[in-house]
Amino acid sequence: MLVESLLSDRSQTSLDDAVALVVGGTGAVGDGITRMLLKCGASVVVPSHDREQLQALRDRIAPAEQDRLLCVPANASKQIGAQEVRRTIDRDFEGPLDLVVAAVDDEDRGRALKDLKLDAWNRLIDRHLTSHLVLAKTFLPLLQNGGQYLMIGRTAGPDSPLGTGPLSAIEAAKRALARSLAAEEEKSGPTVTELVLGPLWTPDQADEHDGGITAEEIGLFVACLMETGQEG
């Protein structure tokens, strides 16, 4: 597999002193990012309001890597939860973060715009857009100069199971938010990037990827991005 072959070529790579925060680290994409960062030697903080998902994530991590995984039972997408996560990071780690990944959950968008009630629209905006502003306001200041802030986005197409209307509107707003944050941080702050994903292949699907990328391959890319930021 691509991931194993690339890892075998990275004998000189080490993220041993790096610290990453992966919001959404128990989800399909965030899980792969978390596991690959741990394999490359980083310490990883993963918050979630769901303690069972945090435990399931820990159970999937190799025993030798579990001491570098810090699970925080808090909803970092909300302001109170984000501040709790920030206090935990300040308490448990010295110095700034090297990487923040915002892989906020991507579900519940599969309706036509004309069929959405206003309260449902407001919930989508709060969950998938306002949450990113909360994360940026809380965790961008914790990144060192040269650190990486990575927003995970999705593409919308005619075959998208999520529904192209709400997905397209929210993803366009997220891209604008990412560009604005990048411009604000350009001179003295960390690098802000949005990684826009196409189809994602997960282990419960058929053996053939059908052109989709795996969460582990996304995670390896993020690890390379983190390494590049450290070298820069």
Short mmCIF file of all heavy atoms in Angstrom, two decimals, residues 79-148:
data_model
loop_
_atom_site.label_atom_id
_atom_site.label_comp_id
_atom_site.label_asym_id
_atom_site.label_seq_id
_atom_site.Cartn_x
_atom_site.Cartn_y
_atom_site.Cartn_z
N GLN A 79 -17.52 27.41 22.06
CA GLN A 79 -16.58 28.31 22.72
C GLN A 79 -16.14 27.80 24.10
O GLN A 79 -14.96 27.83 24.42
CB GLN A 79 -17.18 29.71 22.84
CG GLN A 79 -16.18 30.78 23.24
CD GLN A 79 -16.73 32.18 23.07
OE1 GLN A 79 -17.92 32.37 22.88
NE2 GLN A 79 -15.86 33.16 23.16
N ILE A 80 -17.07 27.32 24.89
CA ILE A 80 -16.73 26.83 26.23
C ILE A 80 -15.81 25.62 26.14
O ILE A 80 -14.79 25.53 26.84
CB ILE A 80 -18.00 26.50 27.03
CG1 ILE A 80 -18.80 27.78 27.31
CG2 ILE A 80 -17.65 25.79 28.33
CD1 ILE A 80 -20.12 27.53 28.02
N GLY A 81 -16.17 24.67 25.25
CA GLY A 81 -15.34 23.49 25.08
C GLY A 81 -13.97 23.82 24.54
O GLY A 81 -12.96 23.23 24.94
N ALA A 82 -13.89 24.77 23.59
CA ALA A 82 -12.61 25.16 23.02
C ALA A 82 -11.69 25.74 24.09
O ALA A 82 -10.49 25.46 24.11
CB ALA A 82 -12.83 26.17 21.89
N GLN A 83 -12.24 26.55 24.98
CA GLN A 83 -11.43 27.12 26.05
C GLN A 83 -10.95 26.03 27.01
O GLN A 83 -9.83 26.11 27.53
CB GLN A 83 -12.24 28.18 26.80
CG GLN A 83 -12.50 29.44 26.00
CD GLN A 83 -11.21 30.15 25.59
OE1 GLN A 83 -10.21 30.13 26.32
NE2 GLN A 83 -11.22 30.78 24.42
N GLU A 84 -11.77 25.02 27.24
CA GLU A 84 -11.36 23.91 28.09
C GLU A 84 -10.19 23.16 27.46
O GLU A 84 -9.23 22.78 28.15
CB GLU A 84 -12.53 22.97 28.33
CG GLU A 84 -12.20 21.80 29.24
CD GLU A 84 -13.40 20.91 29.52
OE1 GLU A 84 -14.54 21.30 29.20
OE2 GLU A 84 -13.17 19.79 30.05
N VAL A 85 -10.27 22.92 26.14
CA VAL A 85 -9.17 22.26 25.44
C VAL A 85 -7.91 23.11 25.50
O VAL A 85 -6.80 22.60 25.73
CB VAL A 85 -9.56 21.96 23.98
CG1 VAL A 85 -8.38 21.38 23.22
CG2 VAL A 85 -10.74 21.00 23.93
N ARG A 86 -8.07 24.41 25.32
CA ARG A 86 -6.91 25.30 25.36
C ARG A 86 -6.24 25.27 26.74
O ARG A 86 -5.00 25.24 26.84
CB ARG A 86 -7.32 26.72 25.00
CG ARG A 86 -6.17 27.71 25.05
CD ARG A 86 -6.51 29.02 24.40
NE ARG A 86 -5.40 29.96 24.51
CZ ARG A 86 -5.28 31.08 23.82
NH1 ARG A 86 -6.21 31.40 22.94
NH2 ARG A 86 -4.26 31.88 23.99
N ARG A 87 -7.03 25.27 27.80
CA ARG A 87 -6.45 25.19 29.14
C ARG A 87 -5.69 23.88 29.34
O ARG A 87 -4.63 23.85 29.98
CB ARG A 87 -7.54 25.35 30.20
CG ARG A 87 -8.09 26.77 30.33
CD ARG A 87 -8.95 26.91 31.57
NE ARG A 87 -10.15 26.09 31.49
CZ ARG A 87 -11.31 26.51 30.99
NH1 ARG A 87 -11.41 27.74 30.50
NH2 ARG A 87 -12.35 25.72 30.98
N THR A 88 -6.24 22.79 28.79
CA THR A 88 -5.56 21.50 28.90
C THR A 88 -4.22 21.51 28.18
O THR A 88 -3.22 21.00 28.68
CB THR A 88 -6.46 20.38 28.32
OG1 THR A 88 -7.69 20.35 29.05
CG2 THR A 88 -5.77 19.04 28.43
N ILE A 89 -4.19 22.10 26.98
CA ILE A 89 -2.94 22.20 26.23
C ILE A 89 -1.92 23.05 26.98
O ILE A 89 -0.74 22.69 27.10
CB ILE A 89 -3.21 22.77 24.83
CG1 ILE A 89 -4.03 21.77 24.00
CG2 ILE A 89 -1.90 23.11 24.11
CD1 ILE A 89 -4.52 22.32 22.69
N ASP A 90 -2.37 24.19 27.51
CA ASP A 90 -1.47 25.07 28.27
C ASP A 90 -0.89 24.35 29.49
O ASP A 90 0.27 24.55 29.86
CB ASP A 90 -2.20 26.32 28.72
CG ASP A 90 -2.51 27.26 27.55
OD1 ASP A 90 -1.83 27.16 26.52
OD2 ASP A 90 -3.44 28.08 27.69
N ARG A 91 -1.71 23.48 30.08
CA ARG A 91 -1.28 22.77 31.29
C ARG A 91 -0.30 21.64 30.97
O ARG A 91 0.67 21.42 31.72
CB ARG A 91 -2.51 22.20 31.99
CG ARG A 91 -2.22 21.45 33.31
CD ARG A 91 -3.42 20.64 33.72
NE ARG A 91 -3.66 19.53 32.79
CZ ARG A 91 -4.84 18.96 32.60
NH1 ARG A 91 -5.91 19.40 33.23
NH2 ARG A 91 -4.96 17.95 31.74
N ASP A 92 -0.54 20.92 29.88
CA ASP A 92 0.19 19.68 29.64
C ASP A 92 1.39 19.82 28.69
O ASP A 92 2.20 18.90 28.60
CB ASP A 92 -0.75 18.62 29.06
CG ASP A 92 -1.72 18.08 30.10
OD1 ASP A 92 -1.92 18.74 31.13
OD2 ASP A 92 -2.27 16.98 29.89
N PHE A 93 1.49 20.94 27.99
CA PHE A 93 2.58 21.09 27.03
C PHE A 93 3.28 22.44 27.24
O PHE A 93 2.63 23.45 27.51
CB PHE A 93 2.06 21.02 25.58
CG PHE A 93 1.48 19.68 25.22
CD1 PHE A 93 0.11 19.47 25.29
CD2 PHE A 93 2.29 18.63 24.84
CE1 PHE A 93 -0.44 18.24 24.97
CE2 PHE A 93 1.76 17.40 24.51
CZ PHE A 93 0.39 17.20 24.58
N GLU A 94 4.58 22.42 27.09
CA GLU A 94 5.37 23.64 27.13
C GLU A 94 5.58 24.13 25.70
O GLU A 94 5.87 23.37 24.80
CB GLU A 94 6.73 23.38 27.79
CG GLU A 94 6.64 23.00 29.26
CD GLU A 94 8.01 22.80 29.87
OE1 GLU A 94 9.00 23.03 29.15
OE2 GLU A 94 8.07 22.43 31.05
N GLY A 95 5.43 25.43 25.53
CA GLY A 95 5.66 26.00 24.21
C GLY A 95 4.44 25.93 23.32
O GLY A 95 3.40 25.39 23.69
N PRO A 96 4.58 26.44 22.10
CA PRO A 96 3.44 26.52 21.18
C PRO A 96 3.14 25.20 20.49
O PRO A 96 3.95 24.26 20.51
CB PRO A 96 3.91 27.56 20.15
CG PRO A 96 5.40 27.40 20.14
CD PRO A 96 5.79 27.06 21.56
N LEU A 97 1.98 25.15 19.86
CA LEU A 97 1.63 24.03 19.00
C LEU A 97 2.36 24.15 17.67
O LEU A 97 2.72 25.24 17.24
CB LEU A 97 0.13 23.99 18.75
CG LEU A 97 -0.79 23.70 19.94
CD1 LEU A 97 -2.25 23.86 19.52
CD2 LEU A 97 -0.55 22.31 20.49
N ASP A 98 2.52 23.01 16.99
CA ASP A 98 3.10 22.99 15.66
C ASP A 98 2.05 22.87 14.57
O ASP A 98 2.26 23.30 13.44
CB ASP A 98 4.09 21.83 15.53
CG ASP A 98 5.25 21.95 16.51
OD1 ASP A 98 6.16 22.76 16.24
OD2 ASP A 98 5.21 21.27 17.54
N LEU A 99 0.92 22.26 14.91
CA LEU A 99 -0.12 21.98 13.91
C LEU A 99 -1.49 21.97 14.57
O LEU A 99 -1.66 21.40 15.65
CB LEU A 99 0.14 20.63 13.23
CG LEU A 99 -0.95 20.10 12.29
CD1 LEU A 99 -1.00 20.92 11.00
CD2 LEU A 99 -0.72 18.62 11.97
N VAL A 100 -2.46 22.60 13.90
CA VAL A 100 -3.87 22.47 14.27
C VAL A 100 -4.61 21.99 13.02
O VAL A 100 -4.49 22.58 11.95
CB VAL A 100 -4.48 23.79 14.76
CG1 VAL A 100 -5.99 23.64 14.97
CG2 VAL A 100 -3.81 24.24 16.05
N VAL A 101 -5.36 20.90 13.15
CA VAL A 101 -6.20 20.40 12.07
C VAL A 101 -7.66 20.55 12.48
O VAL A 101 -8.07 20.05 13.54
CB VAL A 101 -5.90 18.91 11.77
CG1 VAL A 101 -6.83 18.40 10.66
CG2 VAL A 101 -4.45 18.73 11.37
N ALA A 102 -8.42 21.24 11.66
CA ALA A 102 -9.86 21.41 11.90
C ALA A 102 -10.61 20.51 10.93
O ALA A 102 -10.90 20.90 9.80
CB ALA A 102 -10.27 22.87 11.73
N ALA A 103 -10.90 19.29 11.38
CA ALA A 103 -11.62 18.32 10.55
C ALA A 103 -13.01 18.12 11.14
O ALA A 103 -13.37 17.04 11.60
CB ALA A 103 -10.86 17.00 10.50
N VAL A 104 -13.78 19.21 11.14
CA VAL A 104 -15.10 19.18 11.77
C VAL A 104 -16.02 18.25 11.00
O VAL A 104 -15.97 18.16 9.77
CB VAL A 104 -15.69 20.61 11.82
CG1 VAL A 104 -17.08 20.60 12.43
CG2 VAL A 104 -14.77 21.52 12.62
N ASP A 105 -16.87 17.55 11.73
CA ASP A 105 -17.77 16.54 11.15
C ASP A 105 -18.52 17.08 9.95
O ASP A 105 -18.92 18.24 9.92
CB ASP A 105 -18.76 16.07 12.23
CG ASP A 105 -19.46 14.79 11.86
OD1 ASP A 105 -19.19 14.25 10.77
OD2 ASP A 105 -20.29 14.33 12.65
N ASP A 106 -18.77 16.20 8.98
CA ASP A 106 -19.27 16.63 7.68
C ASP A 106 -20.63 16.02 7.34
O ASP A 106 -20.95 15.83 6.18
CB ASP A 106 -18.26 16.23 6.60
CG ASP A 106 -18.08 17.33 5.57
OD1 ASP A 106 -18.90 18.26 5.53
OD2 ASP A 106 -17.13 17.22 4.80
N GLU A 107 -21.44 15.70 8.33
CA GLU A 107 -22.70 15.01 8.07
C GLU A 107 -23.89 15.98 8.03
O GLU A 107 -23.76 17.17 8.28
CB GLU A 107 -22.94 13.96 9.16
CG GLU A 107 -21.86 12.88 9.22
CD GLU A 107 -22.07 11.92 10.37
OE1 GLU A 107 -23.00 12.16 11.16
OE2 GLU A 107 -21.31 10.95 10.47
N ASP A 108 -25.05 15.40 7.72
CA ASP A 108 -26.33 16.10 7.85
C ASP A 108 -26.46 17.32 6.96
O ASP A 108 -26.98 18.35 7.36
CB ASP A 108 -26.59 16.50 9.31
CG ASP A 108 -26.65 15.30 10.22
OD1 ASP A 108 -27.01 14.22 9.74
OD2 ASP A 108 -26.36 15.45 11.41
N ARG A 109 -26.01 17.22 5.71
CA ARG A 109 -26.21 18.32 4.77
C ARG A 109 -27.01 17.87 3.55
O ARG A 109 -27.08 18.58 2.57
CB ARG A 109 -24.87 18.88 4.30
CG ARG A 109 -23.93 19.30 5.42
CD ARG A 109 -22.80 20.08 4.81
NE ARG A 109 -21.60 19.99 5.62
CZ ARG A 109 -20.44 20.50 5.24
NH1 ARG A 109 -20.32 21.10 4.08
NH2 ARG A 109 -19.39 20.38 6.01
N GLY A 110 -27.61 16.71 3.58
CA GLY A 110 -28.15 16.10 2.38
C GLY A 110 -29.57 16.47 2.04
O GLY A 110 -30.40 15.60 1.80
N ARG A 111 -29.88 17.76 1.99
CA ARG A 111 -31.19 18.21 1.54
C ARG A 111 -31.02 19.34 0.54
O ARG A 111 -30.04 20.07 0.55
CB ARG A 111 -32.03 18.73 2.72
CG ARG A 111 -32.41 17.66 3.73
CD ARG A 111 -33.32 18.25 4.80
NE ARG A 111 -33.68 17.25 5.80
CZ ARG A 111 -34.46 17.52 6.84
NH1 ARG A 111 -34.93 18.74 7.02
NH2 ARG A 111 -34.74 16.57 7.72
N ALA A 112 -32.01 19.47 -0.32
CA ALA A 112 -32.02 20.61 -1.24
C ALA A 112 -32.22 21.90 -0.45
O ALA A 112 -32.91 21.93 0.57
CB ALA A 112 -33.13 20.44 -2.27
N LEU A 113 -31.62 22.97 -0.92
CA LEU A 113 -31.73 24.25 -0.22
C LEU A 113 -33.18 24.68 -0.04
O LEU A 113 -33.58 25.17 1.02
CB LEU A 113 -30.95 25.33 -0.98
CG LEU A 113 -29.43 25.28 -0.83
CD1 LEU A 113 -28.77 26.20 -1.85
CD2 LEU A 113 -29.02 25.68 0.58
N LYS A 114 -33.98 24.47 -1.06
CA LYS A 114 -35.37 24.93 -0.99
C LYS A 114 -36.18 24.14 0.03
O LYS A 114 -37.25 24.58 0.47
CB LYS A 114 -36.03 24.84 -2.36
CG LYS A 114 -36.15 23.43 -2.92
CD LYS A 114 -36.78 23.42 -4.29
CE LYS A 114 -36.87 22.00 -4.85
NZ LYS A 114 -37.68 21.11 -3.99
N ASP A 115 -35.68 22.96 0.43
CA ASP A 115 -36.39 22.13 1.39
C ASP A 115 -35.93 22.34 2.82
O ASP A 115 -36.50 21.76 3.74
CB ASP A 115 -36.23 20.65 1.02
CG ASP A 115 -36.85 20.32 -0.32
OD1 ASP A 115 -37.87 20.96 -0.67
OD2 ASP A 115 -36.32 19.43 -1.01
N LEU A 116 -34.88 23.15 3.00
CA LEU A 116 -34.35 23.37 4.34
C LEU A 116 -35.19 24.39 5.10
O LEU A 116 -35.48 25.47 4.60
CB LEU A 116 -32.91 23.88 4.26
CG LEU A 116 -31.77 22.88 4.14
CD1 LEU A 116 -30.45 23.62 4.07
CD2 LEU A 116 -31.77 21.89 5.28
N LYS A 117 -35.55 24.04 6.31
CA LYS A 117 -36.16 25.03 7.19
C LYS A 117 -35.08 25.95 7.73
O LYS A 117 -33.92 25.57 7.85
CB LYS A 117 -36.91 24.35 8.32
CG LYS A 117 -38.11 23.54 7.86
CD LYS A 117 -38.85 22.93 9.04
CE LYS A 117 -40.08 22.16 8.57
NZ LYS A 117 -40.82 21.54 9.71
N LEU A 118 -35.48 27.15 8.12
CA LEU A 118 -34.49 28.13 8.53
C LEU A 118 -33.72 27.69 9.77
O LEU A 118 -32.50 27.91 9.86
CB LEU A 118 -35.16 29.49 8.81
CG LEU A 118 -34.22 30.65 9.11
CD1 LEU A 118 -33.24 30.87 7.96
CD2 LEU A 118 -35.02 31.93 9.36
N ASP A 119 -34.39 27.03 10.71
CA ASP A 119 -33.67 26.59 11.90
C ASP A 119 -32.66 25.50 11.55
O ASP A 119 -31.58 25.41 12.16
CB ASP A 119 -34.63 26.12 12.99
CG ASP A 119 -35.51 24.96 12.55
OD1 ASP A 119 -35.59 24.69 11.34
OD2 ASP A 119 -36.14 24.34 13.43
N ALA A 120 -33.00 24.65 10.56
CA ALA A 120 -32.05 23.63 10.12
C ALA A 120 -30.84 24.28 9.44
O ALA A 120 -29.70 23.85 9.64
CB ALA A 120 -32.72 22.65 9.17
N TRP A 121 -31.08 25.30 8.64
CA TRP A 121 -29.98 26.05 8.01
C TRP A 121 -29.08 26.68 9.06
O TRP A 121 -27.85 26.61 8.98
CB TRP A 121 -30.55 27.11 7.09
CG TRP A 121 -29.54 28.09 6.57
CD1 TRP A 121 -29.35 29.37 6.98
CD2 TRP A 121 -28.56 27.86 5.54
NE1 TRP A 121 -28.33 29.95 6.28
CE2 TRP A 121 -27.83 29.04 5.40
CE3 TRP A 121 -28.25 26.75 4.75
CZ2 TRP A 121 -26.80 29.17 4.48
CZ3 TRP A 121 -27.21 26.88 3.83
CH2 TRP A 121 -26.50 28.08 3.70
N ASN A 122 -29.69 27.29 10.07
CA ASN A 122 -28.90 27.93 11.13
C ASN A 122 -28.04 26.90 11.88
O ASN A 122 -26.90 27.19 12.26
CB ASN A 122 -29.81 28.66 12.12
CG ASN A 122 -30.42 29.91 11.50
OD1 ASN A 122 -29.86 30.49 10.57
ND2 ASN A 122 -31.57 30.32 12.01
N ARG A 123 -28.57 25.70 12.08
CA ARG A 123 -27.79 24.65 12.73
C ARG A 123 -26.61 24.24 11.87
O ARG A 123 -25.51 23.98 12.38
CB ARG A 123 -28.67 23.44 13.05
CG ARG A 123 -29.63 23.66 14.21
CD ARG A 123 -30.19 22.33 14.70
NE ARG A 123 -30.94 21.62 13.66
CZ ARG A 123 -32.23 21.76 13.44
NH1 ARG A 123 -32.94 22.63 14.19
NH2 ARG A 123 -32.85 21.07 12.50
N LEU A 124 -26.83 24.13 10.56
CA LEU A 124 -25.73 23.80 9.65
C LEU A 124 -24.64 24.85 9.68
O LEU A 124 -23.44 24.53 9.73
CB LEU A 124 -26.26 23.64 8.22
CG LEU A 124 -27.10 22.40 7.92
CD1 LEU A 124 -27.65 22.48 6.50
CD2 LEU A 124 -26.27 21.13 8.09
N ILE A 125 -25.03 26.11 9.66
CA ILE A 125 -24.06 27.20 9.70
C ILE A 125 -23.28 27.17 11.01
O ILE A 125 -22.05 27.32 11.04
CB ILE A 125 -24.76 28.56 9.53
CG1 ILE A 125 -25.36 28.69 8.12
CG2 ILE A 125 -23.79 29.71 9.80
CD1 ILE A 125 -24.33 28.68 7.02
N ASP A 126 -23.98 26.94 12.11
CA ASP A 126 -23.32 26.89 13.41
C ASP A 126 -22.34 25.73 13.48
O ASP A 126 -21.21 25.86 13.96
CB ASP A 126 -24.37 26.77 14.52
CG ASP A 126 -23.75 26.77 15.90
OD1 ASP A 126 -23.15 27.79 16.29
OD2 ASP A 126 -23.86 25.74 16.60
N ARG A 127 -22.78 24.57 12.98
CA ARG A 127 -21.97 23.35 13.12
C ARG A 127 -20.78 23.33 12.17
O ARG A 127 -19.70 22.86 12.54
CB ARG A 127 -22.85 22.14 12.87
CG ARG A 127 -22.13 20.80 13.02
CD ARG A 127 -23.11 19.65 12.86
NE ARG A 127 -22.44 18.37 13.00
CZ ARG A 127 -23.06 17.20 12.86
NH1 ARG A 127 -24.35 17.16 12.60
NH2 ARG A 127 -22.39 16.08 13.00
N HIS A 128 -20.95 23.84 10.96
CA HIS A 128 -19.93 23.66 9.94
C HIS A 128 -19.20 24.93 9.54
O HIS A 128 -18.22 24.85 8.79
CB HIS A 128 -20.55 23.04 8.69
CG HIS A 128 -21.15 21.68 8.93
ND1 HIS A 128 -20.38 20.58 9.20
CD2 HIS A 128 -22.43 21.27 8.97
CE1 HIS A 128 -21.17 19.53 9.38
NE2 HIS A 128 -22.41 19.92 9.25
N LEU A 129 -19.63 26.10 10.02
CA LEU A 129 -18.95 27.34 9.67
C LEU A 129 -18.56 28.13 10.91
O LEU A 129 -17.38 28.44 11.10
CB LEU A 129 -19.84 28.20 8.75
CG LEU A 129 -19.17 29.45 8.16
CD1 LEU A 129 -17.95 29.06 7.33
CD2 LEU A 129 -20.16 30.23 7.31
N THR A 130 -19.54 28.43 11.77
CA THR A 130 -19.21 29.14 13.01
C THR A 130 -18.20 28.36 13.83
O THR A 130 -17.32 28.94 14.47
CB THR A 130 -20.49 29.40 13.83
OG1 THR A 130 -21.44 30.09 13.03
CG2 THR A 130 -20.18 30.22 15.07
N SER A 131 -18.31 27.04 13.80
CA SER A 131 -17.36 26.20 14.54
C SER A 131 -15.92 26.47 14.09
O SER A 131 -15.00 26.50 14.91
CB SER A 131 -17.70 24.72 14.35
OG SER A 131 -17.66 24.36 12.98
N HIS A 132 -15.72 26.70 12.79
CA HIS A 132 -14.37 26.97 12.30
C HIS A 132 -13.86 28.33 12.80
O HIS A 132 -12.66 28.49 13.07
CB HIS A 132 -14.34 26.92 10.78
CG HIS A 132 -14.26 25.53 10.23
ND1 HIS A 132 -13.10 24.79 10.20
CD2 HIS A 132 -15.23 24.72 9.72
CE1 HIS A 132 -13.33 23.60 9.69
NE2 HIS A 132 -14.61 23.53 9.39
N LEU A 133 -14.75 29.30 12.91
CA LEU A 133 -14.33 30.59 13.46
C LEU A 133 -13.95 30.44 14.93
O LEU A 133 -12.94 31.02 15.37
CB LEU A 133 -15.46 31.61 13.30
CG LEU A 133 -15.14 33.03 13.82
CD1 LEU A 133 -13.93 33.61 13.09
CD2 LEU A 133 -16.36 33.93 13.67
N VAL A 134 -14.73 29.68 15.69
CA VAL A 134 -14.40 29.43 17.10
C VAL A 134 -13.02 28.76 17.22
O VAL A 134 -12.19 29.17 18.04
CB VAL A 134 -15.48 28.54 17.76
CG1 VAL A 134 -15.02 28.06 19.14
CG2 VAL A 134 -16.79 29.30 17.87
N LEU A 135 -12.78 27.76 16.39
CA LEU A 135 -11.49 27.05 16.43
C LEU A 135 -10.34 27.98 16.08
O LEU A 135 -9.29 27.97 16.74
CB LEU A 135 -11.52 25.86 15.47
CG LEU A 135 -12.50 24.74 15.83
CD1 LEU A 135 -12.55 23.71 14.69
CD2 LEU A 135 -12.09 24.06 17.12
N ALA A 136 -10.52 28.79 15.04
CA ALA A 136 -9.44 29.69 14.62
C ALA A 136 -9.14 30.73 15.70
O ALA A 136 -7.98 31.01 16.01
CB ALA A 136 -9.81 30.36 13.30
N LYS A 137 -10.18 31.33 16.27
CA LYS A 137 -9.99 32.35 17.30
C LYS A 137 -9.29 31.77 18.53
O LYS A 137 -8.49 32.44 19.18
CB LYS A 137 -11.34 32.95 17.70
CG LYS A 137 -11.94 33.90 16.67
CD LYS A 137 -13.37 34.27 17.03
CE LYS A 137 -13.44 35.01 18.35
NZ LYS A 137 -12.81 36.35 18.28
N THR A 138 -9.59 30.51 18.84
CA THR A 138 -9.05 29.91 20.06
C THR A 138 -7.64 29.36 19.87
O THR A 138 -6.78 29.54 20.75
CB THR A 138 -9.97 28.77 20.54
OG1 THR A 138 -11.31 29.26 20.68
CG2 THR A 138 -9.49 28.22 21.88
N PHE A 139 -7.38 28.73 18.74
CA PHE A 139 -6.14 27.95 18.62
C PHE A 139 -5.08 28.55 17.70
O PHE A 139 -3.91 28.16 17.80
CB PHE A 139 -6.48 26.52 18.18
CG PHE A 139 -7.35 25.81 19.17
CD1 PHE A 139 -8.65 25.45 18.84
CD2 PHE A 139 -6.88 25.52 20.44
CE1 PHE A 139 -9.46 24.80 19.76
CE2 PHE A 139 -7.69 24.88 21.38
CZ PHE A 139 -8.98 24.51 21.03
N LEU A 140 -5.44 29.48 16.82
CA LEU A 140 -4.39 30.14 16.03
C LEU A 140 -3.35 30.81 16.92
O LEU A 140 -2.14 30.74 16.63
CB LEU A 140 -5.01 31.16 15.07
CG LEU A 140 -5.32 30.66 13.65
CD1 LEU A 140 -6.10 31.72 12.88
CD2 LEU A 140 -4.05 30.29 12.91
N PRO A 141 -3.76 31.46 18.02
CA PRO A 141 -2.74 32.10 18.87
C PRO A 141 -1.79 31.11 19.55
O PRO A 141 -0.73 31.52 20.04
CB PRO A 141 -3.59 32.83 19.93
CG PRO A 141 -4.91 33.07 19.27
CD PRO A 141 -5.13 31.85 18.43
N LEU A 142 -2.13 29.82 19.57
CA LEU A 142 -1.27 28.83 20.20
C LEU A 142 -0.21 28.29 19.25
O LEU A 142 0.70 27.56 19.68
CB LEU A 142 -2.09 27.64 20.73
CG LEU A 142 -3.09 27.94 21.84
CD1 LEU A 142 -3.70 26.63 22.35
CD2 LEU A 142 -2.45 28.71 22.97
N LEU A 143 -0.30 28.63 17.97
CA LEU A 143 0.66 28.12 16.99
C LEU A 143 1.90 29.01 16.94
O LEU A 143 1.81 30.23 16.99
CB LEU A 143 0.03 28.07 15.60
CG LEU A 143 -0.93 26.90 15.34
CD1 LEU A 143 -1.78 27.19 14.11
CD2 LEU A 143 -0.16 25.60 15.16
N GLN A 144 3.06 28.37 16.84
CA GLN A 144 4.29 29.11 16.67
C GLN A 144 4.38 29.68 15.27
O GLN A 144 3.71 29.21 14.34
CB GLN A 144 5.48 28.21 16.93
CG GLN A 144 5.60 27.05 15.96
CD GLN A 144 6.82 26.20 16.24
OE1 GLN A 144 7.70 26.61 16.99
NE2 GLN A 144 6.88 25.04 15.64
N ASN A 145 5.20 30.70 15.11
CA ASN A 145 5.46 31.23 13.77
C ASN A 145 6.12 30.13 12.94
O ASN A 145 7.12 29.55 13.35
CB ASN A 145 6.38 32.45 13.86
CG ASN A 145 6.51 33.16 12.53
OD1 ASN A 145 5.75 32.91 11.60
ND2 ASN A 145 7.49 34.05 12.43
N GLY A 146 5.52 29.81 11.81
CA GLY A 146 5.96 28.66 11.03
C GLY A 146 5.09 27.45 11.25
O GLY A 146 5.25 26.44 10.57
N GLY A 147 4.16 27.53 12.21
CA GLY A 147 3.23 26.45 12.43
C GLY A 147 2.18 26.38 11.33
O GLY A 147 2.07 27.27 10.48
N GLN A 148 1.39 25.32 11.36
CA GLN A 148 0.41 25.06 10.31
C GLN A 148 -1.00 24.99 10.91
O GLN A 148 -1.22 24.27 11.89
CB GLN A 148 0.72 23.74 9.60
CG GLN A 148 2.11 23.63 9.03
CD GLN A 148 2.24 24.31 7.68
OE1 GLN A 148 1.24 24.57 7.01
NE2 GLN A 148 3.46 24.59 7.27
#
